[in-house]
Amino acid sequence: MDFIILVAIKLTIGFIALVLFMNLNGRSQLAPTSTEDQIGNYVLGGIIGGVIYSPSISIVQFLIVLLIWGLLMTVTDFLKNTNKRVKKMIDGQVVYLIRDGKMLTENFAQATLSIPDFYTKLRTKGVTQISDIEEAFMESNGQLIIIQKGENGYSNLLVSEGNIQEDNLKHIGKDEKWLKDELANYNVTDLSGLFIVEYGSDGKLFIVKK
């Protein structure tokens, strides 16, 4: 009976911890879009699942582990949002497999993607042959994005919450000076006041301020 009560208390604590985590760290954990989101889900699931049925771990110890884990995730979020190198190290970056219709064979190893798996992913997206592809790249969350020839393409995020997305700038063949010159045309000189800056497939900027 005591064991059942202990499990019930731990399960309740774990449930509350999950709810708090989802609300404090954003709903992206419900549909993970980054490496951190995936790891966060795995670790929290492991902590709760491993502790609930272990009578040797007390409720106080369980709470301490959850607190340490929560602090670690909070610190990681802060570092990602303030340091580009940390974000790239944790979440990785986009890996281009095809650009301007040319296959970048050396990048497949970086994306840890075999040719048979690549073909399987193409078929699931309704692409019948590689020669129809203008661009293909692997997002940091493992999703394969395909742009076929003749399509309008996609937008590129150039500024996110005041931070310049250098990889996206490089992709469109621009640099930071070009971005600041363009923003000056919109009377924007302080990037910290920007929520997003999007470069559309039509070559125009879409700006949202905080």
Side-chain angles (χ1 to χ4, degrees):
M1 191 64 169
D2 291 341
F3 175 74
I4 295 175
I5 294 174
L6 183 62
V7 169
I9 293 174
K10 288 180 179 179
L11 186 60
T12 302
I13 293 173
F15 176 77
I16 294 172
L18 277 170
V19 172
L20 288 174
F21 175 67
M22 294 298 178
N23 284 280
L24 292 175
N25 291 277
R27 300 302 175 92
S28 62
Q29 277 70 27
L30 296 174
T33 57
S34 70
T35 302
E36 183 201 0
D37 293 340
Q38 293 279 14
I39 293 175
N41 286 350
Y42 293 150
V43 173
L44 183 58
I47 290 173
I48 295 175
V51 169
I52 286 177
Y53 299 107
S54 177
S56 62
I57 300 177
S58 67
I59 293 175
V60 174
Q61 290 172 326
F62 184 27
L63 288 170
I64 292 173
V65 171
L66 286 175
L67 178 60
I68 293 172
W69 174 81
L71 288 173
L72 179 61
M73 293 300 294
T74 300
V75 170
T76 301
D77 275 335
F78 174 77
L79 291 175
K80 276 178 53 180
N81 293 328
T82 56
N83 191 300
K84 297 176 184 177
R85 291 184 179 178
V86 172
K87 179 175 176 57
K88 185 175 291 187
M89 181 181 66
I90 295 175
D91 287 341
Q93 58 187 335
V94 172
V95 179
Y96 284 89
L97 304 173
I98 297 176
R99 177 176 282 177
D100 298 327
K102 181 181 178 181
M103 207 163 186
L104 306 177
T105 57
E106 67 277 8
N107 287 356
F108 278 77
Q110 183 181 347
T112 61
L113 182 66
S114 68
I115 297 302
D117 288 343
F118 181 58
Y119 267 89
T120 299
K121 289 179 179 292
L122 293 184
R123 286 194 293 271
T124 61
K125 293 179 176 295
V127 179
T128 57
Q129 54 187 20
I130 291 179
S131 58
D132 291 335
I133 301 174
E134 179 66 21
E135 288 196 352
F137 56 90
M138 188 76 77
E139 293 277 16
S140 58
N141 65 350
Q143 291 293 318
L144 180 65
I145 306 300
I146 302 291
I147 306 297
Q148 297 192 63
K149 293 176 180 177
E151 293 182 346
N152 291 328
Y154 56 92
S155 63
N156 282 274
L157 181 64
L158 302 185
V159 178
S160 172
E161 298 181 277
N163 298 310
I164 296 176
Q165 306 300 299
E166 295 177 353
D167 288 340
N168 291 344
L169 265 177
K170 183 179 179 181
H171 171 65
I172 63 173
K174 308 296 184 181
D175 57 20
E176 188 172 325
K177 181 180 183 304
W178 171 87
L179 176 60
K180 291 181 177 180
D181 289 343
E182 287 294 307
L183 290 174
N185 294 330
Y186 293 85
N187 296 318
V188 176
T189 56
D190 183 13
L191 271 67
S192 64
L194 297 175
F195 190 66
I196 68 168
V197 175
E198 179 187 74
Y199 183 77
S201 57
D202 57 0
K204 296 181 180 179
L205 295 183
F206 174 70
I207 301 172
V208 178
K209 297 181 179 180
K210 293 180 180 178

